[in-house]
Amino acid sequence: MFIVQGEGRGHLTQAITLERLLRQNGHEVTAVLVGKSRRRSLPRFFLDNIGAPVRQFASPNFRPGQANRRSRLAGSVLYNVARLPLYARSTAYVRRQIKESGADLVVNFYELVTGLAYLFLPPDVPQVSIGHQYLFLHHDFRFPHTSRAALWGLNFFTRLTSVGACRRLALSFRPMPDDSRHRLAVVPPLLREEVMRQQPVAGNYIHGYMVNDGFAADVEAWHSAHPDVALRFFWDRKGAPPVKRVDPTLAYYALDDRAFLQQMAGCRAYASTAGFESVCEAMLLGKPILMVPAHIEQECNAHDAALSGAGIVCRRFDLDRLTRFAADHRPDPSFAPWVRSAGPRIVDELERAAAAPLYGLAARAGLA
């Protein structure tokens, strides 16, 4: 059974990929639960590509700050505290669904309500948590220079999502040793076969994705000064048409995974709010990247990707910096083999977890 955080597109595409891998290896995904928020709707591409029945429940999420750009940590905490009775009902619902699913294993894609279910009403089904965020718990992870309080909060949240996990699978841009103290295995990014099949070409447009549509002001300001450069940006604006064409060289697209990958493969460079999944896709296709984090988690993603040579980090969509970086960018040849080894590694970890249901009190209730 999958339980997926529905914020952004990364966890959703990872769930699609993992479901296909498990089915190819003779396993069945009995159900998929997805955490939802008022601001976003579940993308059509997910419903069209996931094979198991999908159900949704209310889940905590970041709240955007001024002009719908960077997320506000304090505002997010207060908003979600006010909704605790709703999340308590979600926790009971998730636990009930786990019990009724008949699943041998729960795979948790960084969804907080899963951790709460295993903290307060621990089911008897073993759980594995998967996501890039679990790499933040690794003893060798290098954090950006930012608020120590924000980093503490991020790590506490990350631990809370994985309460009860017998194993944490940390998706990583590069190989690192496992961290047994944190029950952590470092594994490659979980990218779809469709990404592997893309034939990258150096196009004449800049491709982009923004998790908060308030960043469109940056894009349009740059576009006004460079109207000859084609820009194709995807966004997550609820109720937006499939394509919003501003003028002949600037268009915004609603999230569509097939179109997103096709645009990625043919672009000159990629600008993003630093979600792990799309950064990995750009790295695999050899595209230079500008990363504009929208919250503390994405700051860590962006810093880690920059250490791997993927791109540069900026506080706004300064596409001049991206074009300068793109002129000298050279893709990392070791990244593709690392990505292609993901399937066997991850399936093996899950099979071992499902075969060892007695995972101990420390795994069920600890925050280590």
Side-chain angles (χ1 to χ4, degrees):
M1 181 178 184
F2 288 0
I3 308 178
V4 189
Q5 185 204 113
E7 188 88 354
R9 64 182 283 275
H11 301 290
L12 299 174
T13 58
Q14 289 164 14
I16 292 170
T17 304
L18 187 55
E19 184 191 44
R20 291 178 183 174
L21 276 171
L22 289 172
R23 290 186 187 279
Q24 289 166 6
N25 284 272
H27 302 291
E28 177 189 359
V29 178
T30 62
V32 178
L33 305 183
V34 182
K36 66 179 180 179
S37 71
R38 290 179 175 177
R39 295 191 305 117
R40 306 185 196 281
S41 55
L42 196 57
R44 188 75 245 171
F45 79 81
F46 181 75
L47 296 171
D48 290 342
N49 286 281
I50 201 79
V54 176
R55 304 180 184 92
Q56 292 187 266
F57 60 91
S59 173
N61 57 91
F62 284 111
R63 302 297 295 169
Q66 186 177 12
N68 197 22
R69 294 160 67 94
R70 286 184 60 86
S71 296
R72 297 175 300 168
L73 184 59
S76 297
V77 170
L78 292 174
Y79 172 81
N80 288 307
V81 165
R83 290 166 61 85
L84 281 177
L86 177 61
Y87 302 146
R89 292 194 294 273
S90 291
T91 301
Y93 171 79
V94 165
R95 185 186 185 279
R96 187 168 63 251
Q97 290 295 314
I98 293 172
K99 184 177 180 180
E100 294 174 357
S101 71
D104 300 305
L105 184 71
V106 169
V107 182
N108 176 35
F109 295 81
Y110 203 64
E111 171 52 57
L112 177 63
V113 170
T114 311
L116 296 179
Y118 277 81
L119 178 62
F120 295 114
L121 301 164
D124 293 328
V125 182
Q127 178 224 142
V128 170
S129 290
I130 185 168
H132 174 61
Q133 296 88 342
Y134 299 114
L135 199 66
F136 304 159
L137 305 179
H138 196 286
H139 53 69
D140 288 336
F141 187 80
R142 294 165 63 185
F143 288 98
H145 296 292
T146 188
S147 165
R148 295 184 67 178
L151 291 176
W152 182 91
L154 173 63
N155 270 352
F156 178 76
F157 181 90
T158 298
R159 293 172 191 271
L160 203 53
T161 65
S162 58
V163 170
C166 57
R167 195 71 159 157
R168 296 173 174 126
L169 303 186
L171 306 176
S172 175
F173 295 119
R174 57 194 177 277
M176 294 174 66
D178 292 348
D179 183 344
S180 59
R181 187 169 75 87
H182 294 106
R183 306 188 303 280
L184 195 153
V186 178
V187 296
L190 195 55
L191 302 186
R192 292 152 298 149
E193 292 178 5
E194 291 87 341
V195 185
M196 316 287 190
R197 292 198 296 264
Q198 296 296 321
Q199 296 297 320
V201 296
N204 63 355
Y205 61 91
I206 294 175
H207 173 50
Y209 171 63
M210 56 186 77
V211 69
N212 292 332
D213 57 32
F215 284 109
D218 288 352
V219 173
E220 290 170 15
W222 191 89
H223 178 65
S224 296
H226 306 84
D228 55 322
V229 179
L231 304 177
R232 304 178 186 180
F233 272 76
F234 285 73
W235 59 7
D236 202 7
R237 174 175 286 181
K238 191 171 184 177
V243 182
K244 179 183 177 182
R245 197 165 296 281
V246 177
D247 59 35
T249 54
L250 173 59
Y252 296 105
Y253 298 81
L255 274 181
D256 177 298
D257 225 39
R258 181 173 298 178
F260 182 89
L261 288 179
Q262 290 172 346
Q263 301 277 25
M264 176 80 82
C267 73
R268 171 186 174 189
Y270 177 60
S272 155
T273 40
F276 176 76
E277 190 80 1
S278 68
V279 169
C280 287
E281 290 166 349
M283 290 175 68
L284 186 67
L285 296 172
K287 304 299 181 179
I289 311 168
L290 173 71
M291 294 168 282
V292 186
H295 49 68
I296 183 63
E297 175 192 315
Q298 291 183 346
E299 286 184 38
C300 296
N301 287 350
H303 182 70
D304 196 29
L307 292 176
S308 295
I312 53 175
V313 185
C314 191
R315 291 193 63 83
R316 60 189 179 89
F317 279 88
D318 184 349
L319 301 182
D320 284 325
R321 289 192 61 190
L322 177 58
T323 54
R324 289 195 298 269
F325 174 77
D328 299 317
H329 175 254
R330 296 293 180 271
D332 179 0
S334 68
F335 186 69
W338 172 238
V339 169
R340 294 182 192 281
S341 70
R345 291 170 183 257
I346 293 173
V347 170
D348 179 63
E349 289 282 353
L350 297 181
E351 287 178 340
R352 284 195 288 150
L358 299 177
Y359 52 100
L361 292 175
R364 289 169 68 101
L367 291 176

